[in-house]
Amino acid sequence: MKETVHFTKMHGAGNDYIYVDTQLYDIPNPGKAAIAWSAYHTGIGSDGLVLIGKPQNGRRADYSMRIFNADGSEAMMCGNASRCIGKYLYEKGLTRKETIRLETLSGIKILRLHLQDNKKVVDSVTVDMLKPRLENPQQFRGPSVLEADGRIFEGTYVCMGNPHFVTFVDDIDTIDIAHYGKILERDEAFPQRCNIEFAQITDTDIIRTRVWERGSGITMACGTGACATAVAAALTKRAGRKSSIVMDGGTLEIEYSEADDHVYMTGPAAFVFEGEIELEC
Ligand SMILES: N[C@@H](CCC[C@H](N)C(=O)O)C(=O)O
């Protein structure tokens, strides 16, 4: 049997996902749908699938988000998708709130919408990404050194709900991130695999970053990755507590607050197109 599902394609700094409202459509096997629909030649084409729904704990959050990478694996958090959900909910009239509590597998994230055009349009969104963690369950922590195909990568492990290894390099424009990213993602330090950020300071508090995402490969931007990069740069004194993370698809402004140690991410969100696709039931 087949069901027709309405979807919305959105991107945040070029990190593109397919969004489905699970209040309208049941997606019983989201991992399988993510693989089929993310394929560029035979599906819609995207970095993965995002399900918007009602939260488990309805009193504490307004809506929920689940995120599936293009390989069907489920992640705990997605920074770019959280901003897109803020725009989706507000501009589609599902909420009039300018501050939205979003339930994710890594806690409730607060989205603050920045409105324009007589409060009709969400121009950008600031997300409270909570506190970073510097250790993974295998006690792999903080600044470390990994090797990939004979090259040494010094980096910092930062968990922003999902895991990141941020490595500062001096050849950001030429380094083969597909080659090294694929190897580092599956380093034995990361039994759950890892997102890899290659970063280079280009000016005071300006950090050029290229991303290899666990489960999706090279993406044009990663929100949690931008936060992890800013935290790693601040901890290693390469940058201050506020930095601009310049990725292939756009720039995110990150503040690693001294007041509460939370990370605040600000950036754009955009609609791309709407459509309908068949789901094998
Ligand atoms: N692009 C995302 C992160 C998506 C999940 C990631 N690939 C993982 O598996 O942890 C972002 O904007 O944060």
Side-chain angles (χ1 to χ4, degrees):
M1 227 180 72
K2 288 187 177 168
E3 193 197 349
T4 301
V5 172
H6 184 87
F7 68 87
T8 303
K9 174 98 181 271
M10 300 186 79
H11 79 90
N15 191 197
D16 61 335
Y17 292 97
I18 298 156
Y19 293 77
V20 174
D21 182 347
T22 59
Q23 294 176 104
L24 303 177
Y25 303 98
D26 185 30
I27 311 291
N29 191 342
K32 191 172 160 205
I35 296 171
W37 295 350
S38 297
Y40 276 92
H41 299 292
T42 52
I44 300 161
S46 70
D47 292 328
L49 170 66
V50 174
L51 302 182
I52 304 172
K54 273 291 170 195
Q56 301 281 319
N57 183 346
R59 279 187 315 159
R60 292 189 59 225
D62 300 303
Y63 279 90
S64 70
M65 165 176 88
R66 288 181 71 193
I67 150 86
F68 296 84
N69 292 312
D71 72 353
S73 58
E74 183 165 15
M76 307 280 281
M77 177 56 192
C78 179
N80 287 325
S82 65
R83 295 196 316 280
C84 287
I85 289 181
K87 188 174 180 79
Y88 182 109
L89 294 173
Y90 189 87
E91 290 192 18
K92 284 181 179 285
L94 296 172
T95 186
R96 291 325 296 160
K97 289 187 179 176
E98 295 176 29
T99 300
I100 299 169
R101 295 171 65 84
L102 184 66
E103 181 183 81
T104 73
L105 291 182
S106 61
I108 293 174
K109 309 285 151 83
I110 296 177
L111 321 179
R112 214 154 37 80
L113 311 185
H114 305 292
L115 303 173
Q116 246 187 6
D117 198 9
N118 259 338
K119 291 196 165 201
K120 286 205 288 277
V121 170
V122 176
D123 177 54
S124 62
V125 180
T126 298
V127 184
D128 178 351
M129 302 285 284
L130 306 178
K131 291 183 185 175
R133 280 190 296 111
L134 301 179
E135 188 172 280
N136 78 3
Q138 287 66 43
Q139 273 79 52
F140 182 82
R141 63 165 290 117
S144 333
V145 176
L146 297 178
E147 187 266 336
D149 194 20
R151 179 165 168 166
I152 299 297
F153 291 93
E154 280 179 39
T156 304
Y157 175 84
V158 181
C159 179
M160 289 303 314
N162 56 357
H164 294 270
F165 181 72
V166 182
T167 179
F168 284 89
V169 297
D170 53 17
D171 55 350
I172 191 70
D173 291 323
T174 52
I175 184 171
D176 186 346
I177 63 169
H179 178 68
Y180 292 113
K182 199 179 286 174
I183 299 172
L184 292 170
E185 174 191 354
R186 292 176 183 275
D187 190 281
E188 60 183 18
F190 312 123
Q192 322 278 300
R193 301 191 282 154
C194 199
N195 300 288
I196 311 296
E197 278 72 40
F198 299 89
Q200 186 170 342
I201 307 290
T202 53
D203 210 333
T204 309
D205 298 336
I206 312 266
I207 310 174
R208 173 83 179 97
T209 301
R210 295 174 67 206
V211 185
W212 174 267
E213 279 197 40
R214 171 177 75 167
S216 297
I218 294 176
T219 60
M220 293 184 76
C222 178
T224 47
C227 296
T229 303
V231 169
L235 290 175
T236 58
K237 308 277 182 240
R238 288 179 166 95
R241 287 272 181 156
K242 284 186 186 178
S243 51
S244 302
I245 310 299
V246 182
M247 292 170 289
D248 291 341
T251 299
L252 299 182
E253 303 300 332
I254 311 294
E255 177 178 4
Y256 180 23
S257 166
E258 237 155 345
D260 59 9
D261 275 338
H262 285 214
V263 181
Y264 295 89
M265 170 194 64
T266 302
F271 288 105
V272 183
F273 60 87
E274 309 258 339
E276 280 172 1
I277 191 153
E278 287 193 336
L279 175 72
E280 300 269 0
C281 305

